[in-house]
Amino acid sequence: MGRAMTSVRRWGVGGGAGMAIWVVGASIALCAVQPSQAVAQAARSGEALFHDDFESGLDRWFFPKGQGHELVDSGDPAHGTVLSLQTQNRIVVALIEGSEDWGNVRLEGFVQFPEDVHNYLGFVYRYDEAPDRTDFGSVYIKGNGSYIRANPHEDMNVGRVLYDEMRTPLEGEAAIVIGEWQRFALEVVGSEAHLYVGDMSRPQFTFPYFEGERGAFGFKPRNPGGAVWVDDLRVTPIDGFSYTGPPIPDIAYDLEGLVTDWHSLGPLTRFHPEVETSPFDAGLRVSDGGESMGWEAFRADPRGAVRTGTVTQYEGDRRVAYFHATVMAEEAGEAALGLSTADDVTLWINGRSLGFITRSNAAWHDFRTNEDRRGVRGSVPLVEGENHILVRVVGGTYATGGFFMSVEPGGR
């Protein structure tokens, strides 16, 4: 597949659900993934795109980051040699050669956690390595603990802190037992993933909130953590999901009062006082790191989360971004402002500084109504008509990448 993947990222824009643009290098273009001839033929015939029992080496695998992969004797005659993943230095990502050409697929196999220590198996999909960042979708099975969490990576930074409400226990037939093999299947259609564990008739978890629609497939272990084994992998093309029921878990998200329509400016290498001290100007351009950058339309995800990690870099030096929103008030008066943030942020409203707010361990969608997840609450003055909120975010910190905000005139 080559060692450099296509530089393609998807950015959400305002104006309605499902709207998006593809950013390819510095130019904007409509993009559709064209499967290779081999992939198209497999889809027509129903043949497997890939299978591996790890008895013949790792020639069909690629490890772009750290070390910690090896073939080991499982001691089980039914499985023989298996792939063992365990972080040694940097994050380990095991990718299947050629999988960046896959369209919609089902990946099946077996997993075992040989030791009762902190560990997980992360399912990597749509791994997109660009010159300036690396993004991929991921959900993981926790070995010690037996649960599933969503953990998409934005420029290699873990995103689980934005999706903690989706944590799902694995019980009964789906339970993870240390030292025993468990069956799994991952279906990916477009950018959405469904994960089956144990019970192959119904997924244990569905995740629609990652936006990447192209890139490679594979696995990653916990960093740091114990080893995880995988074996007997098989990948087949699919036309659509096997399961068409409600989301799992099925969570009622309430967007009332949340600020969801934004503009973003970044990623930047430094603070820009002219952005912070001047009235909002949609046509503003700033010079940063040899580039001229301006405001771009940006929309919160369907849950209301402002996913700042899609803009800021984690591994690169462009770690600063600004987010602007306009809030309308029928008359001047106090408004209730609420914030649940996994980022360190600085706030302004109508040019007035509201100060610095330190991040929490997670950002919660229900911070306005759940007393156990109150976040930050305060009162702010609004003027009649347009009010301008400015948020400055500094990325580059582990397990960050977003916030939820509400502004409610005369609010609760």
Side-chain angles (χ1 to χ4, degrees):
M1 73 180 175
R3 292 301 184 255
M5 297 192 182
T6 307
S7 173
V8 180
R9 287 177 293 155
R10 188 183 186 211
W11 300 93
V13 297
M19 295 185 64
I21 57 176
W22 287 101
V23 181
V24 184
S27 61
I28 297 175
L30 294 176
C31 180
V33 178
Q34 297 297 327
S36 69
Q37 184 175 353
V39 172
Q41 180 177 346
R44 290 192 298 269
S45 66
E47 298 176 354
L49 292 169
F50 174 87
H51 59 84
D52 200 341
D53 60 6
F54 300 105
E55 302 299 329
S56 302
L58 293 171
D59 290 344
R60 300 186 65 186
W61 292 82
F62 167 42
F63 303 88
K65 297 295 181 179
Q67 300 297 308
H69 56 278
E70 61 178 334
L71 297 179
V72 301
D73 183 354
S74 68
D76 181 346
H79 287 272
T81 301
V82 301
L83 174 62
S84 175
L85 299 173
Q86 182 173 13
T87 300
Q88 290 183 0
N89 43 39
R90 299 189 67 217
I91 293 173
V92 178
V93 181
L95 300 177
I96 301 171
E97 291 274 9
S99 60
E100 72 276 10
D101 292 330
W102 294 349
N104 305 327
V105 297
R106 177 183 173 96
L107 185 157
E108 301 176 75
F110 289 86
V111 59
Q112 182 184 142
F113 298 93
E115 298 179 285
D116 189 7
V117 296
H118 279 298
N119 46 38
Y120 73 51
L121 176 64
F123 296 86
V124 174
Y125 58 97
R126 307 306 188 199
Y127 179 101
D128 183 16
E129 185 174 341
D132 59 343
R133 61 186 294 131
T134 300
D135 304 312
F136 58 87
S138 183
V139 297
Y140 69 74
I141 296 172
K142 190 70 160 61
N144 65 320
S146 192
Y147 59 79
I148 299 175
R149 289 179 79 175
N151 196 31
H153 282 52
E154 308 290 358
D155 197 26
M156 295 304 298
N157 196 8
V158 300
R160 63 177 183 270
V161 292
L162 293 182
Y163 308 96
D164 225 23
E165 78 277 5
M166 299 185 71
R167 175 171 164 164
T168 300
L170 292 171
E171 301 170 328
E173 186 180 352
I176 301 298
V177 179
I178 300 299
E180 296 185 10
W181 289 100
Q182 179 59 286
R183 187 180 178 188
F184 65 77
L186 178 76
E187 292 187 347
V188 177
V189 174
S191 59
E192 183 171 346
H194 291 186
L195 180 60
Y196 296 73
V197 183
D199 179 4
M200 295 293 107
S201 66
R202 181 178 184 272
Q204 298 292 324
F205 194 81
T206 64
F207 187 64
Y209 301 119
F210 179 70
E211 293 184 335
E213 293 192 357
R214 63 181 302 157
F217 289 73
F219 304 99
K220 68 180 294 293
R222 189 178 189 269
N223 178 31
V228 56
W229 295 351
V230 293
D231 195 28
D232 293 337
L233 302 179
R234 179 180 174 86
V235 181
T236 52
I238 57 177
D239 293 328
F241 286 119
S242 303
Y243 171 80
T244 58
I248 304 171
D250 192 1
I251 299 172
Y253 291 104
D254 179 11
L255 272 66
E256 182 182 357
L258 292 182
V259 183
T260 58
D261 288 296
W262 296 80
H263 287 83
S264 66
L265 177 59
L268 306 166
T269 62
R270 60 183 178 86
F271 298 166
H272 284 264
E274 67 271 31
V275 176
E276 301 165 1
T277 59
S278 302
F280 175 71
D281 175 8
L284 174 71
R285 308 291 300 183
V286 300
S287 179
D288 185 279
E291 296 186 31
S292 175
M293 307 188 74
W295 290 104
E296 301 286 346
F298 186 95
R299 187 169 177 82
D301 78 4
R303 304 171 305 134
V306 181
R307 294 171 52 221
T308 62
T310 63
V311 179
T312 60
Q313 291 181 349
Y314 176 65
E315 293 197 328
D317 59 2
R318 291 186 168 275
R319 301 184 174 188
V320 178
Y322 293 94
F323 295 84
H324 167 270
T326 301
V327 174
M328 302 299 297
E330 294 183 358
E331 59 183 22
E334 294 295 307
L337 183 145
L339 180 70
S340 182
T341 179
D343 290 324
D344 293 327
V345 301
T346 305
L347 302 180
W348 292 263
I349 186 163
N350 296 326
R352 173 187 172 187
S353 173
L354 298 180
F356 177 84
I357 298 176
T358 303
R359 67 186 182 276
S360 297
N361 291 333
W364 297 98
H365 73 100
D366 58 353
F367 68 97
R368 294 167 301 141
T369 57
N370 189 327
E371 290 300 316
D372 294 329
R373 306 169 181 172
R374 286 179 55 88
V376 176
R377 302 183 187 182
S379 179
V380 295
L382 298 184
V383 300
E384 182 180 351
E386 290 188 352
N387 292 266
H388 297 277
I389 300 171
L390 182 68
V391 181
R392 185 182 70 203
V393 173
V394 180
T397 301
Y398 180 75
T400 55
F403 63 83
F404 296 85
M405 178 181 287
S406 63
V407 178
E408 301 172 272
R412 56 194 182 199

